[in-house]
Amino acid sequence: RTSPCPIAAGERLYALADFHRLFSQRAVDVVQMDIAHCGGLSMSKKIAALASAYDIRIAPHCSIGPVALAAALHFDISTPNFYVQETFSDFDVPRTSALVRGWEPVRQGEFAHFDLDAPGLGLELDDDAIADHPYVQNPFPSLWDATWITDFTQDKIGTGDQVD
């Protein structure tokens, strides 16, 4: 209540009961549920409806690729309390854009229009590109792994020293 800035949270919540607790405590102004992690489009619609009852806006978290982003964009345009969409597509590994054909969702910092009449989410997957990049379990270390410190926190002060 005393913060001059809107508070956003929720990208790591999964269950409707968790979102209800967050909303009923008036702990956020904006909820950032991840559509791919909290149960898909149907559950996300339930979360958005519950958030709306508390006058909470929606800003979906999306960091896992083009299919999840396409689902989020469909969700966004059909959700009255939608506020803003997060994307990591500009920071993703280059091969990710090759997994789908002819779909570049971000142009000059804005989401481009996509064909709402196309089947499914409006994406055409490139099966050959997908086969060239098979699934790798846990490719990114946990924040709790020792490798996080050695691989991702080098040279924080410009001295070459690791951060403790």
Side-chain angles (χ1 to χ4, degrees):
R1 283 186 283 255
T2 61
S3 173
C5 300
I7 303 297
E11 67 185 44
R12 294 290 178 239
L13 298 180
Y14 303 102
L16 187 59
D18 293 331
F19 287 99
H20 180 263
R21 189 176 315 106
L22 187 71
F23 303 158
S24 65
Q25 293 176 2
R26 303 299 299 167
V28 295
D29 302 292
V30 179
V31 66
Q32 299 173 286
M33 80 284 209
D34 190 312
I35 293 167
H37 296 156
C38 71
L41 292 168
S42 295
M43 183 56 70
S44 295
K45 284 301 209 177
K46 291 177 183 179
I47 294 165
L50 183 60
S52 181
Y54 287 94
D55 292 323
I56 294 172
R57 295 175 289 175
I58 303 296
H61 171 71
C62 185
S63 64
I64 62 171
V67 175
L69 181 57
L73 293 173
H74 280 272
F75 171 84
D76 299 343
I77 62 173
S78 65
T79 304
N81 53 332
F82 166 71
Y83 178 57
V84 66
Q85 177 60 58
E86 175 187 37
T87 181
F88 282 74
S89 56
D90 287 342
F91 309 104
D92 211 340
V93 291
R95 69 178 176 267
T96 301
S97 61
L99 302 178
V100 294
R101 294 188 186 122
W103 191 66
E104 296 179 35
V106 181
R107 294 188 196 132
Q108 297 179 339
E110 294 184 357
F111 288 109
H113 296 285
F114 54 97
D115 186 1
L116 294 174
D117 294 324
L121 295 174
L123 298 178
E124 183 181 348
L125 299 179
D126 187 327
D127 293 331
D128 293 331
I130 292 169
D132 289 342
H133 303 285
Y135 172 75
V136 176
Q137 185 174 357
N138 302 321
F140 197 72
S142 165
L143 291 174
W144 311 117
D145 290 346
T147 57
W148 178 262
I149 297 283
T150 58
D151 295 346
F152 295 99
T153 60
Q154 298 287 329
D155 199 20
K156 289 295 180 190
I157 308 173
T159 64
D161 295 334
Q162 292 178 329
V163 176
D164 292 332

